[in-house]
Each structure stands twice: as C-alpha cells, then as structure tokens.
Amino acid sequence: MKLSSKFRKAICAVVCSAFVMSVMTYTPEFFQVSDVYADENIAHDPSRNVQEEGVGNPFNYGERNTPANASVEEIRAINHAMSVQEVKYSLFKEIDEHWDLIRVRFGQENREMVYALFLGMASRESTLGGNGDGSDLETAFSQGFGVSSAHAYGPLQTAVTAFADCDPTFMKEDDVPEMFQYSFTPENFYDCIISNHMGIRKTIHFIRSAIVDYQLEGYQIVRAALKAFNTGWANYTGENDGYYKNYPDEIIALARWYYDEGHLYDNKFTWTNSPAADIYRQGNPWDWWGDGIPSLEEISSQPPAPENLIGDIDENGIINATDAVKLISFMTCKSTLTDSQLKNADINSDSSVNIADMILLKQMLIS
C-alpha cells in the first residue's frame, strides 16, 4: 500500500501547502469541544434508563477531549472553557464506558451513586471547575513537568503516577489490565477525558491494593482506596485518623449532596467543608453507600474494540484536521503509519494511499 519515497515527495510538494490551508479554513470545529450547549437542565435524553444504559454521552466526547497534536496551551484553553455540567458529563462518559468493571470493583450496582461518588471526589479536588477553571486545574507542578509524584491535573486531580512511562522511581500502577494505561506525555496528561480515565483507573488500582495488600472488607475497601488516591497507601489507619475525615469521608458526604439534592446533572456544585453538606457528615457517612462487596472477580464482558473509522488516521475517534496533518506527514515521508492507520487512510479502498485519498479526506472535512 505504500508509494515509493521519491514519488510521494514529488506529488505532495505541489498540493500539500494548499491542502493544509483549505482544511484549516473550512474546519472551524477543529478546536471545538462540543456542539451541545450546557444549561441548567439535564443534557441527556430524560427517557433513558440511566441505571441500565448510562447517560449516553450527550456532549459527544471522544477518547480525547482535544486534538492529539494540539499544543498544551490549546488543550488547556479547551478544558478551561468547560462548564460544571460539561465536567460532570465528562466523568460520566468514562464511568459508563467501564461500568461493568467499576460496578464489580466498587461493589456498587447503583450507577447514579457511582456518578455521585466521583462528583464528590472531583468536588474535593477541583470543585468541578466551579471557580471558573473548567477542567483546567493543575497542582504540585513547581518543580517541573512530572518531577513531583504529586503533580496532578484535571477534575480528579490525577497524579503523574497513574501514567505509564512516568519517573521509574514512582510506584507502579500497572495492575488494572481492563483499562488502557496512557503514556505520560503533556498531550495525555493535560487532556480532560484521559485525565478522568486515568483517575478512575488509579482508584481501581488502590481498590486492588486494599483487597490484596491489606485484606480490607466492605465499604472500607473503597474508603481506603480514596484515602490512597490522596496519600498513596490503601491501608486502614484507624477511625480517628484525620486522613479519613478530611478526604474519603468528606468525599462521600459531598457525593450524597449531589445524589440527595438532585444535582447530578446540572451546573450546581459544592466544595470541601461546605455547610450545605453538613447533614451528610453526621454519624457514619458511609452508611449511605450500602453493603455491597467490592470484588476482583474477572469481568466476563469487556467492551468490544472500536471499529476502524475511515479517515480517522490518528485513531482518536474523530475525523478532523489532525488526520490531514498526519496524512500529509506520511505522504511527504516525514512519518510512517501503522497497519490500522493505513487502512483508515485508504479512504477510497483501492489498497493504496495516495493523492486520491488526500482529496477525499478534504471533502470529508469540508462537508
């Protein structure tokens, strides 16, 4: 399917510059987060059975929230513009995609209670962007990118330790094979959807640790996993330990506020120590969570692998100008494509990647 290097360079020299300009001119959605606008109402179809189906990704989030070749500044600008409601649904999207795994690992069959748990967690960490930050909140970065193990980003403030290929002296978090572990790059670290994915994966890593390393049981497993998300250790340290009151117990109280007060889906948010959640801090706040049993049992039904999307050359789930850039780079011999990328680049299905495919891709982008 590959053209000779000499031929590719010859044909691309004439057309590439004009092609790039035309693509950029006619694709204003290139840096657009979503074509659905947030308001105070729920964004998903109210007729959906959320417990069975989830909310259905009404903001059309892909596997990334931002173009794969965008700069850090562009990525952060997109994340910064997100409303509280959009941040909420960006978390729900990842929960829904991995629901079978999450419900077993957390021992919780009520999907909306899991939504609430992660809203409580994100409120404890980032107030869901309610201070005007959207998903664009970064902490512990003063020593430089990825130097501190506490360096974190996004709604859940997912630390660099969650990622593959981070500093090898950090403790590994590679024991959640059911969820993909992204490599530690600025483009991945600063993307909201990837950050959410890795934050959920990180919590499941600590659920495993609470069960395997410390033999905890019942709600104490989830409680310890949340403590570990903050401290790095999923051990039980005593009921009077401030680590519990200030982090997992606060999270579950905030979670119940979202659930009981009816604020799962709107633009409302709460925050650490908010008086609005005082009633939910009384007694054992985990009584609300129920008596499910977190489990490490094998998940029998994994979601199917995504099908190839013709034209999606960078394989990020959408077709946009980054695919044109990647195709041009290949045509000018500046980069190579994997077999699956070549299949997506062969838009006219003639078993060759050439100028005809470039023209068809342009038509797809401007239509």
Side-chain angles (χ1 to χ4, degrees):
M1 296 205 343
K2 295 184 179 180
L3 300 171
S4 70
S5 173
K6 182 177 180 180
F7 184 58
R8 264 189 252 146
K9 288 182 177 179
I11 59 176
C12 286
V14 178
V15 299
C16 286
S17 177
F19 180 72
V20 171
M21 291 302 295
S22 62
V23 167
M24 295 301 181
T25 300
Y26 290 100
T27 54
E29 72 278 13
F30 181 48
F31 291 118
Q32 184 173 325
V33 177
S34 171
D35 58 2
V36 181
Y37 293 95
D39 56 30
E40 291 296 325
N41 303 312
I42 65 174
H44 63 273
D45 180 352
S47 69
R48 291 182 68 88
N49 183 336
V50 172
Q51 294 295 345
E52 296 295 327
E53 304 173 276
V55 293
N57 193 18
F59 289 97
N60 298 318
Y61 294 117
E63 294 310 302
R64 307 183 64 89
N65 190 41
T66 53
N69 70 338
S71 69
V72 168
E73 291 75 17
E74 289 164 336
I75 292 171
R76 296 193 66 167
I78 291 170
N79 290 344
H80 194 82
M82 295 174 74
S83 69
V84 168
Q85 188 187 48
E86 288 172 322
V87 174
K88 288 179 178 180
Y89 278 88
S90 75
L91 286 164
F92 302 159
K93 179 259 186 188
E94 286 299 314
I95 294 168
D96 288 345
E97 284 193 3
H98 303 283
W99 175 242
D100 283 343
L101 175 68
I102 290 170
R103 67 177 181 82
V104 171
R105 294 293 180 266
F106 283 76
Q108 180 56 261
E109 296 291 334
N110 186 321
R111 195 187 300 243
E112 288 191 315
M113 288 180 73
V114 174
Y115 286 173
L117 180 74
F118 279 99
L119 293 185
M121 191 174 176
S123 296
R124 176 66 178 82
E125 291 285 5
S126 67
T127 65
L128 292 168
N131 292 320
D133 298 306
S135 295
D136 183 38
L137 188 66
E138 183 178 18
T139 56
F141 59 90
S142 59
Q143 298 177 56
F145 183 74
V147 174
S148 169
S149 61
H151 183 192
Y153 188 78
L156 300 177
Q157 286 295 277
T158 304
V160 301
T161 53
F163 292 80
D165 310 316
C166 63
D167 188 325
T169 65
F170 298 157
M171 288 186 291
K172 301 289 186 184
E173 298 181 11
D174 54 3
D175 56 356
V176 187
E178 301 89 351
M179 293 182 70
F180 183 75
Q181 187 176 27
Y182 287 90
S183 293
F184 181 56
T185 67
E187 293 78 13
N188 288 339
F189 181 76
Y190 289 107
D191 185 274
C192 168
I193 297 296
I194 292 177
S195 178
N196 290 344
H197 174 99
M198 296 303 288
I200 293 170
R201 187 184 187 280
K202 183 180 183 74
T203 309
I204 292 174
H205 158 74
F206 284 120
I207 284 176
R208 178 179 292 274
S209 177
I211 295 172
V212 173
D213 298 329
Y214 301 106
Q215 295 79 53
L216 299 182
E217 298 179 348
Y219 77 88
Q220 293 286 7
I221 293 172
V222 178
R223 192 183 186 209
L226 293 177
K227 178 180 76 71
F229 193 97
N230 187 44
T231 67
W233 304 98
N235 57 327
Y236 179 74
T237 52
E239 283 304 304
N240 295 321
D241 194 318
Y243 283 129
Y244 283 104
K245 177 182 178 182
N246 296 330
Y247 199 79
D249 293 354
E250 178 66 9
I251 285 171
I252 201 67
L254 299 177
R256 190 173 177 185
W257 179 87
Y258 285 104
Y259 188 86
D260 281 11
E261 302 290 335
H263 295 305
L264 290 178
Y265 305 118
D266 57 20
N267 263 310
K268 304 295 184 182
F269 65 97
T270 188
W271 54 90
T272 306
N273 298 325
S274 168
D278 278 348
I279 188 174
Y280 306 122
R281 298 185 180 99
Q282 307 305 311
N284 179 3
W286 285 90
D287 285 343
W288 169 74
W289 183 250
D291 56 0
I293 303 173
S295 170
L296 298 180
E297 72 179 55
E298 184 176 349
I299 308 303
S300 58
S301 59
Q302 294 298 322
E307 296 181 0
N308 288 84
L309 178 61
I310 299 302
D312 179 23
I313 301 168
D314 63 2
E315 297 182 308
N316 71 345
I318 57 175
I319 300 172
N320 58 23
T322 62
D323 299 301
V325 173
K326 197 163 187 68
L327 179 57
I328 291 168
S329 180
F330 170 74
M331 296 288 288
T332 54
C333 302
K334 294 180 180 178
S335 66
T336 59
L337 298 177
T338 65
D339 288 344
S340 61
Q341 289 172 336
L342 283 168
K343 183 177 179 180
N344 291 352
D346 182 18
I347 297 172
N348 63 0
S349 302
D350 66 352
S351 300
S352 179
V353 176
N354 53 36
I355 284 293
D357 300 302
M358 188 181 289
I359 293 171
L360 289 173
L361 178 59
K362 174 185 176 182
Q363 291 173 351
M364 294 171 71
L365 291 169
I366 65 178
S367 61

